[in-house]
């Protein structure tokens, strides 16, 4: 099991207000699964994704990643695990305008101190894999939305993560480019990458193995679309 949570909670507090963003979430995600998470804005989808991605820490409950309890990890430990195992794809692409396509994709390898020759080879191979190699020297502003998202996916994959977390990956795309991005994510999943995707799109969710619906910080239902999927824990 890649992801296991037990009574996972996240409460945000100010001097006057306490908001429960996640309320006792029990969730299992198998290696190689494609999970979609749906729900209205403010239901806790992105908070759950941030906790799974070790971008935030839970207020309560347990969280295991590949069999290791991680809810009490220090920031240094979380950062190390993120770099090794997790790739992120965002609705807004989050590319750096001043860097070329190649330089954007290369960034995670720079942080890992990968030698220059190997970086160049891996970047070219990855951009070819997502069918954007012909734009290697272009800048983000010179690309369509769909092309920018392909670059963002290449950057997420360049470190060979076992898990991709996608937050509304087609949210800023037209239907044609959105379908192409979903086709790419499905191809990656079929090759063995685990994917957890937050989406408002019913059509995108139908491409997953399993769909969870959230409301007020809780998982209220699930729909198993393929036999590979596993039930909520």
């Amino acid at each position: 099991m890649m992801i296991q949570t037990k009574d996972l909670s996240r409460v945000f507090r100010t001097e006057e207000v306490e908001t429960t963003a996640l309320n006792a979430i029990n969730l299992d995600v198998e290696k190689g699964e494609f999970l979609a998470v749906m729900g209205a804005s403010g239901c806790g989808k992105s908070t759950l994704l941030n906790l799974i991605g070790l971008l935030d820490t839970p207020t309560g409950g347990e969280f295991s990643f590949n069999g290791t309890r991680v809810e009490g990890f220090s920031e240094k430990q979380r950062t190390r695990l993120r770099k090794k195992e997790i790739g992120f794809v965002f609705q807004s692409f989050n590319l750096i305008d001043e860097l070329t396509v190649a330089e954007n994709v290369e960034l995670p390898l720079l942080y890992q101190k990968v030698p220059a020759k190997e970086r160049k080879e891996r970047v070219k191979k990855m951009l070819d894999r997502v069918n954007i190699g012909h734009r290697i020297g272009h800048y983000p502003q010179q690309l369509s939305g769909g092309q920018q998202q392909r670059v963002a996916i290449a950057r997420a994959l360049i470190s060979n993560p076992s898990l991709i977390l996608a937050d509304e990956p087609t949210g800023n795309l037209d239907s044609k480019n959105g379908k192409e991005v979903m086709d790419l994510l499905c191809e990656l999943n079929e090759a063995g990458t685990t994917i957890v995707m937050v989406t408002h799109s019913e059509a995108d969710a139908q491409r997953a193995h399993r769909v969870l619906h959230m409301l007020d910080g809780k998982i209220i239902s699930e729909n198993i679309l393929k036999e590979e999927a596993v039930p909520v824990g």
Side-chain angles (χ1 to χ4, degrees):
M1 194 71 64
M2 175 172 282
I3 295 165
Q4 287 184 296
T5 75
K6 182 179 179 181
D7 296 331
L8 196 70
S9 299
R10 182 66 171 98
V11 178
F12 294 97
R13 294 184 178 93
T14 65
E15 290 184 4
E16 299 178 352
V17 180
E18 180 174 290
T19 303
T20 300
L22 285 185
N23 189 352
I25 296 291
N26 295 302
L27 174 65
D28 292 348
V29 181
E30 293 272 14
K31 291 180 181 179
E33 187 177 0
F34 190 160
L35 175 69
V37 183
M38 301 190 74
S41 297
C43 71
K45 303 185 304 295
S46 293
T47 300
L48 177 61
L49 210 66
N50 287 340
L51 290 179
I52 292 174
L54 303 171
L55 295 172
D56 193 8
T57 54
T59 308
E62 301 175 5
F63 175 24
S64 295
F65 191 96
N66 284 334
T68 299
R69 290 277 295 274
V70 298
E71 74 271 4
F73 268 22
S74 66
E75 178 57 36
K76 186 175 182 180
Q77 289 173 307
R78 294 201 306 272
T79 299
R80 187 183 303 122
L81 184 56
R82 277 199 307 270
K83 286 181 178 178
K84 181 181 178 183
E85 298 286 354
I86 305 173
F88 296 89
V89 178
F90 301 97
Q91 176 178 349
S92 56
F93 317 135
N94 285 11
L95 300 177
I96 298 174
D97 289 339
E98 293 76 22
L99 299 182
T100 64
V101 164
E103 290 166 342
N104 268 283
V105 175
E106 183 185 33
L107 271 179
L109 301 182
L110 283 170
Y111 296 142
Q112 295 176 16
K113 298 181 172 58
V114 174
K117 183 180 179 182
E118 182 182 347
R119 290 201 307 270
K120 185 175 181 180
E121 292 172 351
R122 287 173 63 175
V123 167
K124 184 180 185 307
K125 185 177 180 180
M126 184 56 65
L127 288 171
D128 287 341
R129 183 181 178 187
V130 301
N131 298 318
I132 200 69
H134 60 295
R135 299 286 192 176
I136 194 166
H138 287 66
Y139 290 88
Q141 308 98 308
Q142 298 173 301
L143 307 179
S144 69
Q147 290 171 332
Q148 289 188 60
Q149 192 61 293
R150 285 179 178 274
V151 175
I153 291 171
R155 182 184 57 192
L157 289 171
I158 196 68
S159 299
N160 298 316
S162 58
L163 172 66
I164 291 288
L165 299 178
D167 194 353
E168 297 284 357
T170 66
N172 283 340
L173 304 178
D174 59 31
S175 58
K176 178 178 180 294
N177 282 304
K179 181 181 181 302
E180 290 178 357
V181 166
M182 286 305 303
D183 287 345
L184 177 56
L185 289 175
C186 288
E187 288 171 16
L188 296 171
N189 175 247
E190 288 167 5
T193 304
T194 306
I195 298 176
V196 178
M197 175 182 70
V198 163
T199 183
H200 280 104
S201 168
E202 193 69 49
D204 289 355
Q206 292 298 309
R207 306 288 296 273
H209 296 159
R210 180 166 53 121
V211 183
L212 301 182
H213 292 269
M214 295 186 66
L215 179 68
D216 297 335
K218 296 181 178 181
I219 296 172
I220 58 170
S221 68
E222 71 164 338
N223 183 16
I224 297 174
L225 304 177
K226 299 181 183 179
E227 289 304 317
E228 302 97 306
V230 294
V232 175

